[in-house]
Amino acid sequence: MRVLKRLSALVVSAIVLTLLAACGSEEGSGGNSGGSTVVIGTAGSSGTFYAVGAGMSQIINNHSEKLTAVSQGTNGATENVRLLKAGTVQVGFGNWDALHFGYNGEGPFAGEKQGTMSLMNLYLSGGQMVVRESSDIVSFEDLRGKRINLGPPGSTITDMSIIILKEHGIDPEEDIRPYYLDFAEGGRMLRDGDLDATFFVAGIPTAGVIDLSSSSEIRLLSLDDEMRESIIEQYPYYDRLTIPAGTYNGVDYDVETLQLWTSLMVHEDLPDEIAYELVSTLVENLDEFKEVHSVGADFSLENAVLAPIPLHPGAEKFYKEKGVME
């Protein structure tokens, strides 16, 4: 029901914005009001997608004379793929697993390709299993029988959490009490003692984990090397990540986990000129874009072309002009 309500809100928002843009064009007003409106699907407000998406929209609105951008909270990458196909959003945030699933018709889209294409690679997101410092949970094996938030519905965050649990021999439906909550609700319930663990996949540092570590004493669980290597071998879009000691309040040790790239994705039907304008506006204002969030350290023209699936032709045209693609 929550997803249906969100979809309805997105549809209404997109229609209203499009009508406003059309009115602005007819009246010949200044700025970028005469161009196309793009809705950017992000995720929940406690995650990095949301923060970066809001800053991205502002940069587009400040610097493009052809586009008006609005960022929209969603349930995350899996939902964003579906919203792109439905035309409800024009740009979506997604980790590489979502791009892979959408393009190939695998995972949550098994048997039905979604027409997903990559627009611009952005930054690395890390998996983080958070528990209360006072708990008896010191390893992933200790999660058996516990109340665990596996991630927001409509996201691929649940894929990583489930993969990690299964690698430890834990059935996510039989051996734990699973919850599927957004970052904010998962953090609140962990803090209040209504959950034993909650899982994040987001840029480091993650706003929701910062909030938790500021108001509670927390612990982050580490993957051992053997488990991590086994997962990466099976799912090559994952890679190793060490979260340095001191990243979060009270976490004075390195945390060994998994990471994967986060990208902007679009549908194959997006007009080439809009894809080109989006990429060119962001890249040509890259220094400003980097200031949006600390994950901006990963933004670069060279990284932008990295993708597990084909790039949209409009984006590819820009990258070829800049000499980073042949």
Side-chain angles (χ1 to χ4, degrees):
M1 182 63 70
R2 182 181 299 175
V3 172
L4 290 174
K5 288 181 177 178
R6 189 180 295 278
L7 282 168
S8 297
L10 284 166
V11 171
V12 171
S13 174
I15 291 171
V16 170
L17 288 168
T18 302
L19 289 173
L20 288 173
C23 291
S25 177
E26 290 172 2
E27 293 170 4
S29 55
N32 59 7
S33 60
S36 299
T37 296
V38 293
V39 180
I40 302 172
T42 58
S45 59
S46 294
T48 310
F49 285 10
Y50 190 89
V52 177
M56 177 185 304
S57 295
Q58 186 170 353
I59 289 169
I60 292 168
N61 291 333
N62 288 345
H63 297 286
S64 175
E65 295 184 356
K66 299 178 180 179
L67 300 177
T68 298
V70 177
S71 63
Q72 172 68 58
T74 71
N75 278 326
T78 301
E79 184 183 22
N80 289 342
V81 171
R82 293 192 172 103
L83 295 175
L84 287 169
K85 185 178 181 182
T88 308
V89 304
Q90 288 69 51
V91 183
F93 277 74
N95 295 325
W96 273 20
D97 48 3
L99 275 70
H100 173 86
F101 294 151
Y103 178 77
N104 292 294
E106 298 177 1
F109 316 108
E112 186 178 357
K113 294 183 178 182
Q114 302 294 300
T116 309
M117 302 196 81
S118 183
L119 183 76
M120 180 180 183
N121 198 41
L122 295 176
Y123 60 86
L124 287 161
S125 290
Q128 301 155 89
M129 186 68 83
V130 185
V131 303
R132 294 186 303 279
E133 176 64 31
S134 59
S135 78
D136 60 356
I137 303 170
V138 297
S139 69
F140 282 95
E141 286 85 354
D142 297 329
L143 293 173
R144 191 180 299 273
K146 303 298 186 180
R147 302 163 298 174
I148 307 172
N149 177 32
L150 300 176
S155 75
T156 56
I157 292 164
T158 57
D159 290 279
M160 186 189 288
S161 60
I162 288 171
I163 285 167
I164 291 173
L165 290 176
K166 286 183 174 179
E167 190 68 22
H168 288 83
I170 299 173
D171 187 312
E173 296 299 328
E174 300 291 335
D175 298 332
I176 65 168
R177 291 174 58 187
Y179 291 74
Y180 299 92
L181 308 168
D182 64 26
F183 287 168
E185 183 69 3
R188 183 194 65 76
M189 289 183 65
L190 180 70
R191 185 169 49 244
D192 292 347
D194 298 321
L195 282 175
D196 299 303
T198 189
F199 193 66
F200 295 81
V201 178
I204 309 295
T206 302
V209 184
I210 292 173
D211 290 344
L212 268 174
S213 68
S214 299
S215 59
S216 311
E217 293 183 350
I218 64 169
R219 177 186 301 128
L220 270 66
L221 304 184
S222 281
L223 281 166
D224 68 38
D225 286 343
E226 183 178 349
M227 292 288 187
R228 186 162 58 171
E229 292 306 314
S230 175
I231 291 171
I232 292 169
E233 183 176 350
Q234 297 172 68
Y235 307 95
Y237 40 77
Y238 293 142
D239 202 352
R240 303 156 200 77
L241 171 66
T242 299
I243 301 175
T247 298
Y248 300 113
N249 184 45
V251 183
D252 57 358
Y253 47 86
D254 289 348
V255 177
E256 302 301 332
T257 185
L258 297 169
Q259 67 182 354
L260 74 172
W261 282 102
T262 290
S263 293
L264 295 179
M265 53 187 178
V266 295
H267 192 267
E268 61 190 6
D269 290 342
L270 184 74
D272 290 1
E273 59 270 20
I274 292 180
Y276 182 96
E277 179 70 10
L278 284 164
V279 172
S280 62
T281 301
L282 294 173
V283 170
E284 288 167 2
N285 295 282
L286 198 59
D287 289 343
E288 186 176 339
F289 193 19
K290 284 175 174 285
E291 298 300 318
V292 167
H293 190 282
S294 58
V295 296
D298 291 334
F299 299 169
S300 71
L301 181 58
E302 290 71 27
N303 284 342
V305 301
L306 301 176
I309 63 174
L311 287 159
H312 189 283
E316 190 174 85
K317 176 185 176 185
F318 176 81
Y319 298 135
K320 286 179 177 179
E321 289 176 356
K322 291 297 180 179
V324 291
M325 287 187 70
E326 294 183 357

